[in-house]
Amino acid sequence: MIPVQGFEGQKVAVLGLGRSGLATARALLAGGAEPLLWDDSPEARAKAEAEGFTCTDLMRHGAMEGVACLVTSPGIPHLYPAPNKVIARALEAGVPLDNDIGLFFRSVALGSWDEFDTVPRVVCVTGSNGKSTTTALIHHILQVAGRPTQMAGNIGRGVLDIDPPQDGEVVVLELSSYQTDLARALTPDVAVFTNLSPDHLDRHNGMGGYFAAKRRLFAEGGPDRAVIGVDEVEGRFLANQVAQGPQDDRVIRVSSGSKLDEFGWSVFARKGFLAEWRKGRQMASIDLRTVSGLPGAHNHQNACAAYAATRALGLAPKLIEQALHSFAGLPHRSQLVGERGGVRFINDSKATNVDSAAKALQAFPKIRWIVGGMGKDGGIASLQPFLGSVVKAYLIGHSARDFALQIGDLPHEICETMDRAVGRAAAEAEAGEVVLLAPAAASFDQYPNFEKRGEDFMAQVRTVIG
């Protein structure tokens, strides 16, 4: 646990008692603060009270009096589309807002660090797609290298729930736009921006607000090194804003598809090969085509970002290459479930929007595509340019029939359920083909989350392959 510093003897309100909220309450108490807890859910309040905390309705008259800070959980809106009623009350009263990320950065550096031979470092990863894989890959590379490391944030544990960093340790954090948007302190040593595509636009009042939330990690954080994906205009703009010029090697530009040999420091992948360039010279090359845990151009971009971040931490290219080959990937993200008769079964249940589904569809040459669920605005019509590798689509869930109308002449079958889709795809698939779950839709019509959807896919696959 990271005890929260700076609030000893003061009241700090905590809104939202999920994983991060309860971890925040414990860390505040450990730092000598008096936490005032609230959640609209009676079940969440009961869980907190079972730990010995007292819950206080933050909407009652006078509840904000003497409160030094209101710490809110990521899922609670603080501005758009409208502030939560408790947050609105805090804004009216002038009570500062923060989240667990802000508390982490104000509290993580302890006096004992002066005695360390090597000061701990913090790496933060943000972006639209690939940030979980990139975060986990950085963490894995560090483990293979024998560096002490912890992973937290939007993946794994809450940031205040980790152990205080030790001598030479690297803390790797995945940060969503909800987390970077509100944190009052953001001071990573290395900051990574993977890419940007439309998501969470209601919470940020459009793409401009969404990008601005991501940009805060760099503009306010002032990292020693910035690793920035430049395959979209927002990334190119961000790199331009952070760097003093094209030869400024504090910025490491990353691309999947573009050659970036004219900059001070860059890492890019082309035709399956990763290349590192510094000041006009190629420093290293890695054949990513043989890295089974990172298939497709989108994962090659993740590999480039993780490579750049760990190079910025001083790791050698050969060591990083070794670690890439032992990375198994994350569940529900281009995850190889099994193989039968030359047919591979890939679980990419995390592909909940058209952008991530497009990347999955470009990763394999011959695909039996399982798609559908609770469709998002615009459906899947924009995936038309990426359907050339699809042999047949098997449609499931609420939007199955709508999606069928949007894929043109592509052979398809409306299966509705996962078991029928997997069974039909497996029966028709031929050697060299891939049965791919890349839903391009939310899971909430049939499953509580994308993880449960992916687990169902894996269970059905295991039934089929024996």
Side-chain angles (χ1 to χ4, degrees), residues 167-433:
D167 195 330
E169 188 162 13
V170 180
V171 177
V172 189
L173 304 180
E174 177 193 340
L175 300 184
S176 72
S177 58
Y178 294 176
Q179 294 169 309
T180 57
D181 194 22
L182 190 59
R184 296 176 74 90
L186 284 169
T187 54
D189 297 287
V190 179
V192 180
F193 175 85
T194 58
N195 51 57
L196 198 77
S197 62
D199 209 357
H200 310 306
L201 300 190
D202 59 331
R203 273 290 297 269
H204 299 292
N205 201 33
M207 279 292 286
Y210 179 48
F211 175 55
K214 303 286 190 185
R215 182 180 175 274
R216 289 191 74 241
L217 183 63
F218 300 82
E220 300 193 21
D224 295 334
R225 297 281 186 192
V227 176
I228 301 176
V230 294
D231 287 334
E232 295 86 29
V233 66
E234 292 89 353
R236 293 190 288 274
F237 178 82
L238 180 59
N240 183 276
Q241 290 243 301
V242 175
Q244 294 299 313
Q247 296 305 310
D248 185 352
D249 64 3
R250 293 174 304 168
V251 176
I252 308 176
R253 290 168 171 83
V254 166
S255 174
S256 176
S258 297
K259 189 176 183 180
L260 304 174
D261 57 355
E262 69 271 32
F263 296 101
W265 198 350
S266 62
V267 180
F268 56 89
R270 298 183 74 205
K271 298 180 180 180
F273 285 86
L274 178 153
E276 177 190 3
W277 282 70
R278 296 193 72 170
K279 300 190 182 302
R281 294 180 56 203
Q282 183 170 340
M283 308 298 294
S285 177
I286 298 174
D287 185 353
L288 297 175
R289 298 171 302 174
T290 59
V291 180
S292 60
L294 295 164
H298 62 303
N299 274 314
H300 292 176
Q301 183 188 54
N302 299 335
C304 288
Y307 176 96
T310 49
R311 284 289 284 141
L313 293 170
L315 272 63
K318 287 296 183 183
L319 185 56
I320 299 172
E321 181 176 6
Q322 174 190 341
L324 292 179
H325 281 282
S326 61
F327 181 66
L330 288 178
H332 317 297
R333 298 163 176 86
S334 297
Q335 177 187 11
L336 176 61
V337 179
E339 185 173 344
R340 186 193 69 174
V343 176
R344 288 181 293 161
F345 295 81
I346 303 293
N347 168 24
D348 205 346
S349 184
K350 184 62 169 66
T352 58
N353 56 44
V354 293
D355 186 71
S356 52
K359 290 178 169 60
L361 291 171
Q362 295 174 78
F364 307 100
K366 295 180 180 179
I367 297 171
R368 301 275 173 174
W369 180 30
I370 299 177
V371 55
M374 184 67 71
K376 299 185 177 181
D377 289 348
I380 60 171
S382 61
L383 287 176
Q384 281 284 352
F386 308 103
L387 301 183
S389 59
V390 178
V391 178
K392 183 176 177 180
Y394 303 81
L395 298 124
I396 63 173
H398 173 82
S399 298
R401 285 166 175 78
D402 290 338
F403 282 9
L405 297 174
Q406 297 171 15
I407 57 177
D409 297 330
L410 182 72
H412 66 273
E413 182 176 338
I414 295 177
C415 297
E416 295 187 344
T417 62
M418 186 70 74
D419 58 341
R420 178 166 175 78
V422 172
R424 293 292 298 146
E428 297 181 347
E430 300 176 358
E433 295 180 346

Side-chain angles (χ1 to χ4, degrees), residues 115-168:
E115 303 171 7
F116 290 162
D117 291 331
T118 304
V119 173
R121 311 284 293 278
V122 178
V123 178
C124 291
V125 181
T126 194
S128 295
N129 297 306
K131 57 184 179 294
S132 293
T133 296
T134 300
T135 301
L137 184 53
I138 293 169
H139 179 60
H140 173 76
I141 294 169
L142 291 165
Q143 287 179 314
V144 171
R147 295 280 293 272
T149 178
Q150 297 182 77
M151 179 174 67
N154 204 43
I155 185 174
R157 303 159 69 185
V159 292
L160 294 171
D161 202 30
I162 68 172
D163 299 325
Q166 299 302 305
D167 195 330

